[in-house]
mmCIF file of all heavy atoms in Angstrom:
data_model
loop_
_atom_site.group_PDB
_atom_site.id
_atom_site.type_symbol
_atom_site.label_atom_id
_atom_site.label_comp_id
_atom_site.label_asym_id
_atom_site.label_seq_id
_atom_site.Cartn_x
_atom_site.Cartn_y
_atom_site.Cartn_z
ATOM 1 N N ILE A 564 -45.609 8.498 67.666
ATOM 2 C CA ILE A 564 -44.367 9.270 67.785
ATOM 3 C C ILE A 564 -43.264 8.361 68.295
ATOM 4 O O ILE A 564 -43.433 7.662 69.315
ATOM 5 C CB ILE A 564 -44.537 10.477 68.717
ATOM 6 C CG1 ILE A 564 -45.642 11.408 68.208
ATOM 7 C CG2 ILE A 564 -43.223 11.244 68.839
ATOM 8 C CD1 ILE A 564 -45.922 12.597 69.119
ATOM 9 N N VAL A 565 -42.163 8.350 67.575
ATOM 10 C CA VAL A 565 -40.946 7.661 68.018
ATOM 11 C C VAL A 565 -39.879 8.735 68.189
ATOM 12 O O VAL A 565 -39.465 9.372 67.223
ATOM 13 C CB VAL A 565 -40.494 6.589 67.010
ATOM 14 C CG1 VAL A 565 -39.183 5.948 67.475
ATOM 15 C CG2 VAL A 565 -41.574 5.535 66.839
ATOM 16 N N LEU A 566 -39.441 8.932 69.419
ATOM 17 C CA LEU A 566 -38.528 10.016 69.764
ATOM 18 C C LEU A 566 -37.207 9.453 70.256
ATOM 19 O O LEU A 566 -37.167 8.699 71.229
ATOM 20 C CB LEU A 566 -39.154 10.901 70.851
ATOM 21 C CG LEU A 566 -38.234 11.937 71.509
ATOM 22 C CD1 LEU A 566 -37.802 12.985 70.503
ATOM 23 C CD2 LEU A 566 -38.938 12.580 72.702
ATOM 24 N N ILE A 567 -36.133 9.790 69.569
ATOM 25 C CA ILE A 567 -34.786 9.424 70.016
ATOM 26 C C ILE A 567 -34.189 10.626 70.733
ATOM 27 O O ILE A 567 -34.156 11.730 70.190
ATOM 28 C CB ILE A 567 -33.900 9.013 68.829
ATOM 29 C CG1 ILE A 567 -34.428 7.719 68.221
ATOM 30 C CG2 ILE A 567 -32.460 8.827 69.273
ATOM 31 C CD1 ILE A 567 -33.635 7.241 67.044
ATOM 32 N N CYS A 568 -33.717 10.412 71.940
ATOM 33 C CA CYS A 568 -33.219 11.526 72.743
ATOM 34 C C CYS A 568 -32.142 11.013 73.689
ATOM 35 O O CYS A 568 -32.337 9.991 74.362
ATOM 36 C CB CYS A 568 -34.376 12.147 73.534
ATOM 37 S SG CYS A 568 -33.934 13.665 74.403
ATOM 38 N N HIS A 569 -30.992 11.697 73.706
ATOM 39 C CA HIS A 569 -29.920 11.322 74.628
ATOM 40 C C HIS A 569 -30.286 11.688 76.062
ATOM 41 O O HIS A 569 -30.067 10.909 76.995
ATOM 42 C CB HIS A 569 -28.611 12.035 74.239
ATOM 43 C CG HIS A 569 -27.768 11.241 73.296
ATOM 44 N ND1 HIS A 569 -27.236 10.018 73.614
ATOM 45 C CD2 HIS A 569 -27.361 11.501 72.024
ATOM 46 C CE1 HIS A 569 -26.527 9.554 72.598
ATOM 47 N NE2 HIS A 569 -26.587 10.445 71.626
ATOM 48 N N ARG A 570 -30.824 12.905 76.225
ATOM 49 C CA ARG A 570 -31.138 13.370 77.571
ATOM 50 C C ARG A 570 -32.431 12.722 78.047
ATOM 51 O O ARG A 570 -33.444 12.742 77.349
ATOM 52 C CB ARG A 570 -31.273 14.892 77.587
ATOM 53 C CG ARG A 570 -29.983 15.599 77.194
ATOM 54 C CD ARG A 570 -30.125 17.084 77.289
ATOM 55 N NE ARG A 570 -31.204 17.635 76.481
ATOM 56 C CZ ARG A 570 -31.174 18.837 75.915
ATOM 57 N NH1 ARG A 570 -30.117 19.599 76.077
ATOM 58 N NH2 ARG A 570 -32.186 19.254 75.198
ATOM 59 N N GLY A 571 -32.395 12.202 79.270
ATOM 60 C CA GLY A 571 -33.568 11.498 79.772
ATOM 61 C C GLY A 571 -34.482 12.345 80.630
ATOM 62 O O GLY A 571 -35.521 11.867 81.075
ATOM 63 N N GLU A 572 -34.117 13.651 80.857
ATOM 64 C CA GLU A 572 -34.900 14.460 81.781
ATOM 65 C C GLU A 572 -36.354 14.610 81.351
ATOM 66 O O GLU A 572 -37.258 14.643 82.206
ATOM 67 C CB GLU A 572 -34.283 15.862 81.925
ATOM 68 C CG GLU A 572 -32.884 15.887 82.520
ATOM 69 C CD GLU A 572 -31.818 15.833 81.441
ATOM 70 O OE1 GLU A 572 -32.065 15.186 80.396
ATOM 71 O OE2 GLU A 572 -30.752 16.436 81.635
ATOM 72 N N ASN A 573 -36.600 14.704 80.040
ATOM 73 C CA ASN A 573 -37.950 15.009 79.572
ATOM 74 C C ASN A 573 -38.633 13.820 78.894
ATOM 75 O O ASN A 573 -39.686 13.985 78.274
ATOM 76 C CB ASN A 573 -37.891 16.180 78.585
ATOM 77 C CG ASN A 573 -37.516 17.476 79.271
ATOM 78 O OD1 ASN A 573 -37.964 17.755 80.383
ATOM 79 N ND2 ASN A 573 -36.671 18.264 78.623
ATOM 80 N N LEU A 574 -38.035 12.631 78.999
ATOM 81 C CA LEU A 574 -38.649 11.458 78.382
ATOM 82 C C LEU A 574 -39.788 10.886 79.218
ATOM 83 O O LEU A 574 -40.466 9.953 78.782
ATOM 84 C CB LEU A 574 -37.596 10.370 78.143
ATOM 85 C CG LEU A 574 -36.616 10.649 76.993
ATOM 86 C CD1 LEU A 574 -35.584 9.538 76.895
ATOM 87 C CD2 LEU A 574 -37.369 10.788 75.678
ATOM 88 N N GLY A 575 -39.990 11.459 80.423
ATOM 89 C CA GLY A 575 -41.094 10.972 81.253
ATOM 90 C C GLY A 575 -42.450 11.231 80.638
ATOM 91 O O GLY A 575 -43.448 10.613 81.040
ATOM 92 N N ILE A 576 -42.548 12.113 79.655
ATOM 93 C CA ILE A 576 -43.827 12.388 79.004
ATOM 94 C C ILE A 576 -44.235 11.264 78.059
ATOM 95 O O ILE A 576 -45.387 11.172 77.648
ATOM 96 C CB ILE A 576 -43.728 13.721 78.232
ATOM 97 C CG1 ILE A 576 -45.124 14.234 77.884
ATOM 98 C CG2 ILE A 576 -42.873 13.566 76.961
ATOM 99 C CD1 ILE A 576 -45.116 15.630 77.312
ATOM 100 N N CYS A 577 -43.285 10.368 77.724
ATOM 101 C CA CYS A 577 -43.566 9.272 76.793
ATOM 102 C C CYS A 577 -44.431 8.199 77.469
ATOM 103 O O CYS A 577 -44.459 8.070 78.697
ATOM 104 C CB CYS A 577 -42.271 8.638 76.312
ATOM 105 S SG CYS A 577 -41.174 9.773 75.434
#
Side-chain angles (χ1 to χ4, degrees):
I564 301 177
V565 177
L566 169 65
I567 293 179
C568 187
H569 269 298
R570 298 183 303 212
E572 297 92 327
N573 291 320
L574 287 177
I576 196 171
C577 300

